[in-house]
Amino acid sequence: MSKATSYPKDKIKILFLENISDRAVQRFKDDGYSNVTKLTRAMPEEELIEAIKDVHLLGIRSKTQVTPAVLAAAEKLMAIGCFCIGVNQVNLKEATRRGIVVFNAPYSNTRSVAELVIALAVMLIRRIPDKNKAAHEGIWMKESKGSFELRGKTLGIIGYGNIGAQLSVLAEAFGMRVIFYDIETKLPLGNAVACKSLKDVVSQADVVSLHVPETAQTKNLINKNNLKYFKKGSILINYARGQVVDLPALAKALEAGDLSGAAIDVYPWEPEKNGDKFETPLQGLPNVILTPHIGGSTEEAQQNIGDDVSAKLFNYLESGVTNGSHTVPALSLPLIEGAHRILHIHNNVPGVLSAINSQLAEHHINIVGQYLTTNDSIGYVVLDVDKQLSSQALDLLKGVKETIKVRMLY
């Protein structure tokens, strides 16, 4: 079926930015999509506005910002693949309004982050950063004071989602007691225990690890007020989002000895590219590990992300499947032999489906299969129609009121 698309594959323009995995690029090239451009860098808004005018599929990671102005210039854009966990770099409201499908890979690097958090907890609770620094400076610092085992300690997880839950399992394997807080009710894994508030978690935990999204509610979630509730001598790890922690307040808590260490991977402001100057209030503080947003940056994770997102983009392009979309409603449907498939995205108002069916019935166009799903903003209809009349059906559907996008798939 993929060889019988209604458009020349070499005319479908695909743009991948930010050094996306070669496996994603190869996926499309192997299936005949030869017009694929891969760049290692992000694009600023003005440059992207110019580049995206004839692009059908866009692949990005976390730095490229897809603003309303970018989407307004993307007249041919059908889908955006975010080759990362989050989608906050895309204006989802505007993408929804324009019927542009947005995919991401919410599960593909969970193991990479969870493993690293455990490793960081071991390093910090043993005060390895201080001993490492001393050894590099030629100072022998063999002592056990202030060094502890993870076994028997309490890990507090803020945000018990995909990463938090996997971290929970790994921590128990180390003999840790696990407690967590999430704004939604979550089924604990293993022996983990849910707490009623963030304060309940941080006041008990020897190690606190953050795994929350970046929202208005989580901005400066860890601030000078909440830091007062942390257990004396505890450790904070933030491998979630840069806006979640008030870094100057954290620096003061570390300098005062209220916390014994921290590991931070994400920051309110991050450099555009490797080699750029980077500053944070945490630089130079003892028992602090700073990493450059690499929590999920393993070769395995990038390959998994490349496979996941490229598969979603490919399935939408080839069969109209929108499972995993953050904009167009999710729909998975079988292929029907002997028919042509048309995709219709429209504003979710009463009467659109009736208008579609009335138009086709009036012109004696047989519908072999029909699927509809909606969200608050838009509706998504997939129609399999008689081959002989599919071109006429396409023209009729373009004229239906409230139509956003119509595409003949095959």
Side-chain angles (χ1 to χ4, degrees), residues 24-235:
V25 177
Q26 201 60 44
R27 170 68 186 269
F28 285 93
K29 288 186 174 181
D30 287 346
D31 281 279
Y33 294 91
S34 57
N35 195 353
V36 181
T37 300
K38 175 186 171 179
L39 301 179
T40 59
R41 60 184 178 87
M43 281 189 180
E45 184 181 56
E46 289 186 7
E47 186 179 357
L48 186 56
I49 286 173
E50 187 62 32
I52 206 170
K53 289 180 179 178
D54 295 321
V55 170
H56 298 88
L57 296 184
L58 174 67
I60 60 172
R61 294 178 71 183
S62 57
K63 287 192 178 297
T64 301
Q65 299 298 305
V66 184
T67 63
V70 170
L71 293 169
E75 296 180 357
K76 297 182 180 180
L77 190 63
M78 295 185 285
I80 299 170
C82 298
F83 287 75
C84 51
I85 288 181
V87 291
N88 55 302
Q89 68 275 46
V90 178
N91 189 302
L92 295 180
K93 183 177 180 180
E94 186 65 15
T96 301
R97 192 180 74 81
R98 295 180 176 275
I100 298 169
V101 182
V102 178
F103 297 113
N104 68 329
Y107 314 114
S108 295
N109 66 358
T110 55
R111 180 71 182 194
S112 300
V113 178
E115 280 189 5
L116 186 52
V117 169
I118 288 291
L120 292 163
V122 172
M123 292 290 183
L124 292 169
I125 207 166
R126 295 288 297 272
R127 300 199 71 91
I128 297 301
D130 294 344
K131 294 177 174 63
N132 175 69
K133 181 175 182 292
H136 276 283
E137 294 172 351
I139 301 170
W140 194 248
M141 197 173 160
K142 186 177 185 297
E143 61 180 15
S144 59
K145 183 180 179 180
S147 296
F148 303 93
E149 297 177 0
L150 281 187
R151 183 179 57 175
K153 303 301 186 294
T154 298
L155 171 66
I157 301 172
I158 307 301
Y160 201 72
N162 302 315
I163 296 174
Q166 188 160 165
L167 172 62
S168 171
V169 173
L170 294 179
E172 284 199 18
F174 273 75
M176 299 189 79
R177 168 180 175 245
V178 178
I179 58 177
F180 70 89
Y181 171 68
D182 198 294
I183 58 173
E184 298 179 2
T185 301
K186 298 290 180 67
L187 179 67
L189 300 181
N191 296 312
V193 176
C195 294
K196 293 183 178 180
S197 69
L198 183 147
K199 181 180 177 181
D200 287 343
V201 172
V202 301
S203 62
Q204 300 179 62
D206 300 292
V207 180
V208 175
S209 190
L210 307 177
H211 300 284
V212 298
E214 185 174 303
T215 67
Q217 290 71 37
T218 62
K219 184 174 182 179
N220 286 339
L221 180 70
I222 305 302
N223 52 47
K224 64 179 181 180
N225 294 323
N226 284 334
L227 283 166
K228 295 176 183 177
Y229 302 127
F230 274 61
K231 184 177 179 180
K232 181 75 172 179
S234 60
I235 290 164

Side-chain angles (χ1 to χ4, degrees), residues 335-347:
L335 298 174
I336 295 181
E337 297 291 343
H340 283 178
R341 177 162 290 179
I342 301 174
L343 312 181
H344 186 277
I345 300 173
H346 57 270
N347 293 314

Side-chain angles (χ1 to χ4, degrees), residues 304-376:
N304 291 338
I305 289 171
D307 289 341
D308 185 9
V309 180
S310 61
K312 290 172 181 173
L313 290 170
F314 184 82
N315 288 337
Y316 177 62
L317 189 63
E318 295 277 338
S319 60
V321 173
T322 51
N323 284 349
S325 169
H326 290 265
T327 49
V328 175
L331 184 63
S332 179
L333 59 165
L335 298 174
I336 295 181
E337 297 291 343
H340 283 178
R341 177 162 290 179
I342 301 174
L343 312 181
H344 186 277
I345 300 173
H346 57 270
N347 293 314
N348 185 16
V349 298
V352 176
L353 186 61
S354 177
I356 290 172
N357 291 334
S358 296
Q359 284 282 2
L360 297 182
E362 184 179 334
H363 292 82
H364 307 290
I365 297 174
N366 184 44
I367 300 175
V368 180
Q370 185 180 71
Y371 312 85
L372 167 68
T373 184
T374 64
N375 59 26
D376 291 341

